[in-house]
Amino acid sequence: MKKDQLNELLYQALETELGGVEIYTTALRCVVNDDLKEEWQEYLEQTKNHVQIVQDTMEQLGLDTEAETPGRLVVRHIGESLVKAMEMALESGVKGAAQLVASEAVTLAETKDHLNWHLIGEAAKKAIGDIAKALKAAHDEVEDEEDEHLYHTTGWTRVLWIESMGLPAVLPPPEEVKDVKTAIGAARAEQARAQML
Ligand SMILES: [Fe+2]
């Protein structure tokens, strides 16, 4: 395994989690639905914990968590852009619209976050010694939460859009009701809902 690129992944993972804290904080200013608000409050706390977990893991690997990499700057730029997008929607004054923008922003951010952790899991399988141990411990602690963040928020974005168009919508989304934690589970939940309508 190329160690430099594993390190790059960890820098990007840290920046994604740091951006996630800002994104959830801003998304909570946009949210209207009470169930979604409760969910994002929980995910914000979990994301703060993920920041700590990545920092601890990087320190175990001897990495300077403050160091900048070009890839990390790109991740930061995207995170800041998502925050800006939500602020633009808030300024428009249409509350439901800002919630939709926020839900899409969270989904985009969690897509990258989910990918990072999947790759950390893959690296943990191939790494050896203390590096393997550190990566695996972090991955085990975070993986289930990341699955939930991505699949549940994707479901919310879809049903909020459906509702906004005046179409029959089931809230909260089936991904949440069925506590989906896999891509296959998300597809099944959506299919079951479509058959109900
Ligand atoms: Fe996370």
Side-chain angles (χ1 to χ4, degrees):
M1 184 161 39
K2 292 179 183 168
K3 200 159 174 248
D4 283 354
Q5 191 62 359
L6 169 61
N7 294 346
E8 174 61 28
L9 173 63
L10 292 170
Y11 278 108
Q12 291 194 19
L14 175 58
E15 196 62 43
T16 305
E17 298 291 7
L18 287 166
V21 171
E22 301 304 320
I23 287 162
Y24 277 115
T25 302
T26 312
L28 282 164
R29 288 167 50 208
C30 303
V31 77
V32 182
N33 182 289
D34 285 339
D35 289 332
L36 185 56
K37 183 177 181 184
E38 202 179 305
E39 181 150 291
W40 281 350
Q41 278 166 338
E42 187 191 339
Y43 294 174
L44 171 60
E45 292 313 309
Q46 289 174 346
T47 299
K48 286 179 183 171
N49 186 41
H50 296 177
V51 170
Q52 191 62 53
I53 290 169
V54 183
Q55 284 173 336
D56 291 348
T57 307
M58 290 173 78
E59 277 162 19
Q60 286 172 47
L61 269 59
L63 296 173
D64 172 9
T65 57
E66 299 293 320
E68 301 284 15
T69 72
R72 179 177 187 170
L73 293 177
V74 170
V75 174
R76 187 179 306 155
H77 176 78
I78 292 170
E80 286 170 354
S81 302
L82 293 173
V83 168
K84 183 87 199 297
M86 286 184 272
E87 284 168 349
M88 278 169 67
L90 279 170
E91 278 166 25
S92 79
V94 188
K95 254 210 150 184
Q99 177 176 256
L100 268 182
V101 172
S103 198
E104 286 191 10
V106 170
T107 302
L108 289 168
E110 290 292 0
T111 300
K112 168 68 172 163
D113 203 11
H114 190 264
L115 172 65
N116 293 339
W117 282 103
H118 175 78
L119 294 171
I120 290 169
E122 291 299 307
K125 286 184 209 159
K126 301 291 177 200
I128 47 169
D130 288 346
I131 296 177
K133 225 185 276 177
L135 294 176
K136 190 176 182 311
H139 182 258
D140 286 353
E141 211 174 329
V142 166
E143 188 193 19
D144 273 6
E145 290 176 358
E146 292 299 356
D147 287 341
E148 191 181 321
H149 293 184
L150 176 60
Y151 297 122
H152 292 202
T153 305
T154 301
W156 271 105
T157 306
R158 187 188 64 248
V159 296
L160 288 172
W161 255 109
I162 289 171
E163 185 192 41
S164 76
M165 291 189 289
L167 297 172
V170 184
L171 273 73
E175 287 88 339
E176 178 151 321
V177 177
K178 292 182 191 297
D179 198 19
V180 163
K181 287 194 165 64
T182 63
I184 291 172
R188 283 200 191 114
E190 158 63 354
Q191 201 174 35
R193 183 209 64 88
Q195 282 164 0
M196 272 164 53
L197 295 173

